[in-house]
Amino acid sequence: MAEQLSPEATATLRALLTGSDPVSNALLAQIPHTRVVRRCGCGCVTVDLEVDRTAAAPAPPHDNPAVNAWYGAPHSAGVMVGTEGGYLSFLEIYSVSDEPITAWPDPASSNTEQVRARTSSTFRAAKTRTGTAESGGVSCPAGVAEASSDG
């Protein structure tokens, strides 16, 4: 069963999608129409997303992930925003830690480096069908579990 985005996931998406370019604008406009459909099975905060396509337009063509950011604190972690067909499809966190990251990094953190995949060829990441993301040897080893309404 689908559930609403948490305030922390919403804040993370908004922070990562800042910009005045057409892709960021379109993806930002999708956030109010986005629901969580699956959660990662490892216990991290990674979520698969689904947008009500009757309520929001797709983003123009772009590379995927649409955004990748690296947070140095409180965890060394990467966060990616992925899309499918121009619509938000996942918000993924990954790190080199053996422990799952159970909270989104503070979007206001001054220790954030963003790499927008559509403008940089130095970083590429891929999301597999099992819900894992791999980049530079780091990944979330679990697949994604169905979202539940009990939180």
Side-chain angles (χ1 to χ4, degrees):
M1 176 176 218
E3 63 186 71
Q4 289 186 334
L5 279 170
S6 70
E8 297 81 10
T10 299
T12 299
L13 281 169
R14 289 189 186 287
L16 293 174
L17 295 170
T18 59
S20 59
D21 60 284
V23 173
S24 294
N25 289 336
L27 295 176
L28 278 169
Q30 293 175 12
I31 293 173
H33 311 289
T34 301
R35 312 264 305 158
V36 172
V37 293
R38 279 181 284 291
R39 295 185 172 280
C40 186
C42 81
C44 74
V45 290
T46 293
V47 289
D48 278 353
L49 306 172
E50 185 175 89
V51 176
D52 178 354
R53 294 177 181 212
T54 64
H62 58 278
D63 287 340
N64 206 14
V67 177
N68 183 47
W70 185 258
Y71 290 85
H75 310 285
S76 291
V79 180
M80 291 186 291
V81 176
T83 61
E84 186 174 306
Y87 290 94
L88 293 167
S89 66
F90 69 89
L91 179 59
E92 177 118 24
I93 195 160
Y94 59 93
S95 86
V96 295
S97 170
D98 290 337
E99 296 298 316
I101 297 175
T102 58
W104 292 109
D106 180 3
S109 170
S110 60
N111 195 5
T112 304
E113 176 187 336
Q114 286 195 21
V115 180
R116 293 193 180 268
R118 63 181 172 273
T119 60
S120 172
S121 60
T122 60
F123 183 92
R124 291 288 184 229
K127 180 167 180 355
T128 68
R129 291 191 180 272
T130 62
T132 60
E134 297 181 5
S135 166
V138 294
S139 69
C140 179
V144 225
E146 290 295 323
S148 67
S149 58
D150 57 8

